[in-house]
Amino acid sequence: MICKISHFNKKLKIKYCTAAMADFRNRKHSSPFLLVYFLLIRSLFSTAADTITASARIRDGETLVSSNGVFQLGFFSLNNSTNRYVGIWYSNIPVPTYVWVANRESPLTGKNGALTVMAPGALSILNGTNGTVWSSTLTAPSPIPNPIAQLLDSGNLIVKDVNGDRFTWQSFDYPCDTLLAGIRLGWNYVTGVETYISSWRSEEDPAKGEYSSHVDPTGYPQMVLKKGDAFRYRIGPWNGLRWSGAPDTSNDPTYSVSLQMTRDEVRYTEGRVGDSVLSISRLDPNGEGVRSTWNDRTNSWTRYTNVPADNCDSYGLCGPHGSCNVGTSPSCGCLDRFVPRDPESWGRTDWSDGCLRRIALSCNGDKFLKYSAIKLPDARNTTYNVERRSLVECQADCARDCSCVAYTQLNISGDGSGCLFYHGELIDIRVMASAGQDLYIRMAASEPGGVASTSGNGGNRGRTRTIVIASATSVVVVVFVCVILVCVYGRRRKSDPIVGLFSATTHVKEAELPFFSLPTILKATDNFSNKNKLGEGGFGPVYRGVLEDGQEIAVKRLSKTSRQGVNELRNEVMLIAKLQHRNLVRTLGFCAQGEEYMLIYEYMPNHSLDLTLFDKEKSRLLDWQKRFDIINGIAKGLLYLHQDSRLRIIHRDLKASNILLDADMIPKISDFGLARSFGGNQTEAQTRRVVGTYGYMSPEYAIDGLFSVKSDIFSFGVLVLEIVSGNRNRGFLLKDHNLNLLGHAWRLYTEDSSRKLLDPCLDEAFDLGQVERAIHVGLLCVQNSPDDRPSMSSVVFMLGNDVALPQAKQPGFFTERDISIDHSSSSSNPTASYNELTITWTQGR
Ligand SMILES: *[C@@H]1O[C@H](CO)[C@@H](O)[C@H](O)[C@H]1NC(C)=O
Ligand SMILES: *[C@@H]1O[C@H](CO)[C@@H](O)[C@H](O)[C@H]1NC(C)=O
Ligand SMILES: *[C@@H]1O[C@H](CO)[C@@H](O)[C@H](O)[C@H]1NC(C)=O
Ligand SMILES: *[C@@H]1O[C@H](CO)[C@@H](O)[C@H](O)[C@H]1NC(C)=O
Ligand SMILES: *[C@@H]1O[C@H](CO)[C@@H](O)[C@H](O)[C@H]1NC(C)=O
Ligand SMILES: *[C@@H]1O[C@H](CO)[C@@H](O)[C@H](O)[C@H]1NC(C)=O
Ligand SMILES: CC(=O)N[C@H]1CO[C@H](CO)[C@@H](O)[C@@H]1O
């Protein structure tokens, strides 16, 4: 065994044992003496080297470790292949995660390779006969005589002169599929070299695949994901804070993004605040951009965003001047004041031709119409002006130039400054649920003024929205608020949003979901006997049943109120059934007989969360660890609905009675995806109703009927505070104030005594840090403004990692409403959960 100790800079820097060390790892069980010897050597040289000198080489089996111990460089194989690669991975986690591969296109074929640094400063991988299979390019203008290679704490492998800091090369300039904090994507205009991310060909082959991710500086810089040379997904132009189409991460305490633009380069970087968390952004071989963080508790990577997330993320889906909205059907529409270029193909849901202005431009007295809450269109055909200019000045500049078809604020940070001017066609616009921007589009002088619809799909004008609260059991029907809004929509929709979206894009085979015959169900539920009734959910009664083979099931009889056709309904049910996640109730099958529809679910022995949580006796069984696990489980289920399922389901009625518990107390969300097709009584063909539950509804939803993922997040926040405190939000009363649970939690939080919110029935066995974190996250979710609320991915991240959290702002709906409500539901009544007040939002046309 040879151990080398090299000196340089008069400091003992390199301590590593060649060859033998690795062999020992493989053979260490062969002799106890060798094992002891190995451990002795390892303790002597406990600091693994992070550097290779010119005289040394790293052989297959040896590794370098960065001085913070986070990254490791060495040789590896993927699966059973004999191909060997040199790469960098995380050294302290059990899941192999390769963040960089040197010879991705030219693997070694055996285990006799070596990595060396040679003058004048190149890093090379040699094979068994000293042939060079890969070599770094020389980027330094002049050679350096004594190069060394060093693996830095950031995961960057650099080649530099032994006596200086001058780099000749760094791996961060040649990233593979992973964007680590500190990698600078973009262009060096001086050398013409681009730094970009490219996917692996497959999980077993790190060679360059067909997907890549770039900062495209054409026009104004935007981030794009390409398949080959074609745009697949465009995150949008930089707006001073972020890419225009990216979620607002300014309130994500752990994540920062920045763009530097100079005459010589344009560079985008992502940063992590705090070292405690491992985090990567990766472009996977299927072309999905995935951001994940390492979770020590589960010993796995938690995905918490992925793009493209839905249909509307497909580049240019709706053609020029089209606008995509996942919430409408069909998802493509023309921008307000635009009409399909070819109505016939548009009718066939072929949107590629896009739309035209209703009234052509004349460049004479044209005006501008504001379109809000959108992702800015493709910025390749733009010009810009970075001076401090107001919107009014931008408009004047755009009006003077007949080729300018639209303008917007270039930089929306601070008071805003600069202008971005669009030329040519406006393409790849989508409606954003939050963090959208405004675009001012040029209109002919004769076009009537007003405000542009943001729905993107047009509609009639003069729509009235009425909100009605109806109690499912009591006769009390309170007219809650009547809000009369003048909304401008374009043409009428043909069918319900989600159905159209799916039927346009998905062909569902019937055989995929088991069909149960009505006699089977009748037998299982004893003719829907009352003793088998579990309760009355939002969409109809639920019965327990036992199949002939003894399997227990739950049967939901959907109210016969949907206005959709049978086939559409069936399609939709099957799509919902395809959503599968550990924290969603699994659909076992369905049953259709005439107009009657039934969904068959797995049976949950521990029933709904409210029955345990709000019961004085049973709630003792929910210790803190169980509660925290339930919160985390719900968060993951909801994250899946919001982003991972690719259908972007907004639940709209998240509440304790919709969380079911299995035998191991694992929470499962139920009733997801039903709101759109079974949203209550639909007798009038043209009435759209949205269902929610008082106490869980966000202000913008209850008052304006505006729903988005952020309204679900509000409900989730309420649920978190309920789980921590063991109290319902609705009907929560304390003698000394008239705050509801949210208000009470907020008050305790501002007094720095959040822990008093914790359910007093819990014993001392809890982790106070976790309790406070859960309350803090809950309060962030119920903030009054939807934009302030974190996304579900941030929530999962903040719950799972010990990171600093932003200050919570005042919650919405934090006092008990001064309207009379039926408080008859009590926690000891087992059917209480089904008697909750339900608010129905009616949209007349
Ligand atoms: C290796 O093979 C297994 C089993 O076929 C597969 O699940 C895994 O994704 C493959 N790839 C890697 C990189 O382990
Ligand atoms: C790898 O090889 C082992 C043994 O030869 C075999 O059992 C296993 O299925 C192989 N895995 C893959 C992913 O090929
Ligand atoms: C490769 O080069 C190393 C170092 O120069 C030398 O010791 C070794 O013998 C060479 N191997 C072959 C096969 O030439
Ligand atoms: C080593 O690489 C050289 C040059 O790439 C090649 O000619 C030679 O065949 C390789 N030797 C082995 C053993 O693969
Ligand atoms: C950009 O817009 C101009 C002005 O309308 C048009 O002539 C040109 O073809 C467009 N260029 C591209 C690349 O779309
Ligand atoms: C639906 O509402 C109408 C009036 O709005 C009512 O007459 C009808 O009975 C309701 N149907 C159901 C199934 O609740
Ligand atoms: C808290 C609670 O009710 N737990 C029950 C969940 O279901 C299992 C299996 O039916 C029971 O053993 C638990 O007591």
Side-chain angles (χ1 to χ4, degrees), residues 57 59 126-130:
R57 48 172 64 190
R59 295 207 174 79
L126 306 179
N127 65 12
T129 52
N130 286 344

Coordinates of all heavy atoms in Angstrom, one line a residue, residues 57 59 126-130, ligand 3:
R57 N -2.0 11.8 -9.6 CA -3.2 11.5 -10.4 C -4.2 10.8 -9.5 O -3.8 10.2 -8.5 CB -2.8 10.7 -11.6 CG -1.9 9.5 -11.3 CD -1.8 8.6 -12.5 NE -1.1 9.3 -13.7 CZ -1.1 8.7 -14.9 NH1 -1.6 7.6 -15.1 NH2 -0.5 9.4 -15.9
R59 N -6.7 7.9 -9.3 CA -7.1 6.7 -10.0 C -8.5 6.3 -9.7 O -9.1 6.7 -8.7 CB -6.1 5.6 -9.6 CG -4.7 5.9 -10.1 CD -3.9 4.6 -10.3 NE -2.6 5.0 -10.9 CZ -1.6 5.4 -10.1 NH1 -1.7 5.5 -8.8 NH2 -0.4 5.7 -10.7
L126 N -7.2 9.9 -18.4 CA -6.4 9.0 -19.2 C -6.9 7.6 -19.0 O -7.4 7.2 -18.0 CB -5.0 9.0 -18.7 CG -4.3 10.4 -18.6 CD1 -2.9 10.2 -18.1 CD2 -4.3 11.0 -20.0
N127 N -6.8 6.8 -20.1 CA -7.2 5.4 -20.0 C -6.0 4.5 -19.6 O -4.9 5.0 -19.3 CB -7.9 4.9 -21.2 CG -7.0 4.8 -22.4 OD1 -5.8 5.0 -22.3 ND2 -7.6 4.7 -23.6
G128 N -6.2 3.2 -19.5 CA -5.2 2.3 -19.0 C -3.8 2.4 -19.8 O -2.8 2.1 -19.2
T129 N -3.9 2.9 -21.0 CA -2.6 3.0 -21.8 C -2.2 4.4 -21.9 O -1.5 4.8 -22.9 CB -2.8 2.4 -23.2 OG1 -3.9 3.0 -23.8 CG2 -3.0 0.9 -23.1
N130 N -2.6 5.2 -21.0 CA -2.3 6.6 -20.9 C -2.8 7.4 -22.1 O -2.3 8.5 -22.4 CB -0.7 6.9 -20.8 CG -0.3 6.5 -19.4 OD1 -1.1 6.5 -18.4 ND2 1.0 6.4 -19.2
Ligands
LIG3 C1 1.2 6.0 -17.8 O1 1.9 7.1 -17.2 C2 2.4 6.9 -15.9 C3 2.9 8.2 -15.4 O2 3.6 8.9 -16.3 C4 3.4 5.8 -15.9 O3 3.9 5.5 -14.6 C5 2.8 4.5 -16.5 O4 3.7 3.5 -16.6 C6 2.1 4.8 -17.8 N1 1.4 3.6 -18.3 C7 1.5 3.1 -19.4 C8 0.7 1.9 -19.7 O5 2.2 3.6 -20.3

